[in-house]
Amino acid sequence: MNVEHAMRVANHARAAYVAPAHQYPLSVTMSASRRIELLTWAARNGAWIVEDDYDSEFRFSGNPIASLQGRDMDGRVIYVGTLCKVVFPTLRLGFAVIPEDLVGAFLDIRNASDICTSVLHQMVMTDFIREGHFSRHIKRMRAAYMERHKAMVASIQDQADRVLEVVGDRAGLYVMALLPAGIDDLELAEAAKQMGIPVRASSQCYVSPPERGGLLMGYAHTDVRDIPAKVNALKTLIHARMPKH
């Protein structure tokens, strides 16, 4: 988020929703200066920041990034996350760390809107965390995903750097790569899926069509040995759609 621009065009905003550790889909991380700007804006205007930290556990280079909530001295940050990405998808548990003066309001809303979250799942997950299994699980999965991540980026750079431009490659469970201008990423993604290569067109994430389309290339469920072949197949599909001169 360009905080200065946001304050200029929406100076009466009451809240900002951000994913500072890893923005989707471009995978960028919010700079320290912009984090301070955002916290200052919230404190000055009595506004709220909703910090979605959905996969910050999987950062593969540089030092760990401190959360906005950890820097918040004015009680303006509502920190939310999910366990379905870091444990397994069918564990439909999320969590929120909220300012103390909002606890009552959040409990009222929770009780009025949804009280069906499995108590058993919550109790098991609590024990899983308290006994240290969760930390060991994150450490093990970070190593596994880092290996796949490096293999994906290396395969693109070795085989397809002329048709796939990697952006924001430091975190997350996918690699974002821009396509050459003029390539229809929606059509390409559909063709890739027909070949058993699940990718998503980045243009689906835009309000207006972007100048260049791209692909969100997930690797969490891919055997590291299969990654080079999948990248090579994507390169072939892209070359077939390049303008003929």
Side-chain angles (χ1 to χ4, degrees):
M1 174 186 284
N2 184 327
V3 181
E4 182 181 353
H5 175 75
M7 289 189 293
R8 188 165 58 249
V9 301
N11 60 333
H12 297 300
R14 298 290 296 123
Y17 184 98
V18 294
H22 179 226
Q23 185 265 353
Y24 184 89
L26 296 179
S27 300
V28 295
T29 299
M30 184 180 287
S31 67
S33 60
R34 289 186 175 181
R35 289 166 183 258
I36 294 171
E37 278 186 284
L38 192 59
L39 288 168
T40 301
W41 164 80
R44 184 172 59 241
N45 292 276
W48 301 103
I49 300 169
V50 180
E51 179 178 13
D52 189 347
D53 208 28
Y54 65 94
D55 65 357
S56 64
E57 296 87 355
F58 302 123
R59 181 172 177 81
F60 306 126
S61 64
N63 295 322
I65 301 296
S67 66
L68 284 169
Q69 194 269 342
R71 293 171 174 259
D72 178 24
M73 298 291 103
D74 300 285
R76 309 312 305 176
V77 177
I78 300 166
Y79 180 93
V80 300
T82 178
L83 295 171
C84 71
K85 286 185 178 293
V86 297
V87 183
F88 52 89
T90 55
L91 182 66
R92 309 306 295 176
L93 290 179
F95 57 88
V97 180
I98 58 180
E100 189 173 355
D101 57 352
L102 291 182
V103 171
F106 267 67
L107 287 175
D108 289 343
I109 294 170
R110 173 68 174 168
N111 290 330
S113 63
D114 174 21
I115 56 173
C116 64
T117 300
S118 168
V119 174
L120 176 61
H121 287 173
Q122 293 183 72
M123 292 174 68
V124 171
M125 195 65 216
T126 298
D127 288 343
F128 191 69
I129 293 171
R130 285 177 175 169
E131 294 171 11
H133 304 301
F134 182 70
S135 296
R136 288 189 289 273
H137 166 75
I138 292 297
K139 184 177 181 180
R140 184 169 60 251
M141 296 313 299
R142 185 185 291 121
Y145 291 147
M146 183 184 295
E147 181 185 19
R148 297 171 200 176
H149 174 270
K150 288 181 177 178
M152 178 73 78
V153 173
S155 294
I156 292 172
Q157 292 174 342
D158 291 344
Q159 303 181 60
D161 65 329
R162 294 187 179 183
V163 293
L164 288 171
E165 179 187 345
V166 174
V167 296
D169 64 343
R170 292 187 175 185
L173 300 179
Y174 64 90
V175 169
M176 166 68 180
L178 293 174
L179 294 164
I183 301 292
D184 184 340
D185 60 356
L186 287 167
E187 188 275 332
L188 177 63
E190 185 58 35
K193 289 176 185 177
Q194 297 299 320
M195 296 180 62
I197 307 173
V199 295
R200 185 182 183 192
S202 65
S203 63
Q204 292 179 303
C205 303
Y206 287 77
V207 175
S208 302
E211 292 183 6
R212 292 171 62 186
L215 297 177
L216 304 177
M217 307 165 62
Y219 52 76
H221 301 290
T222 303
D223 190 309
V224 68
R225 295 168 296 184
D226 296 334
I227 289 175
K230 290 182 181 294
V231 170
N232 188 60
L234 273 176
K235 180 183 72 171
T236 301
L237 288 174
I238 296 168
H239 277 302
R241 288 158 176 79
M242 295 285 284
K244 301 294 191 294
H245 297 290

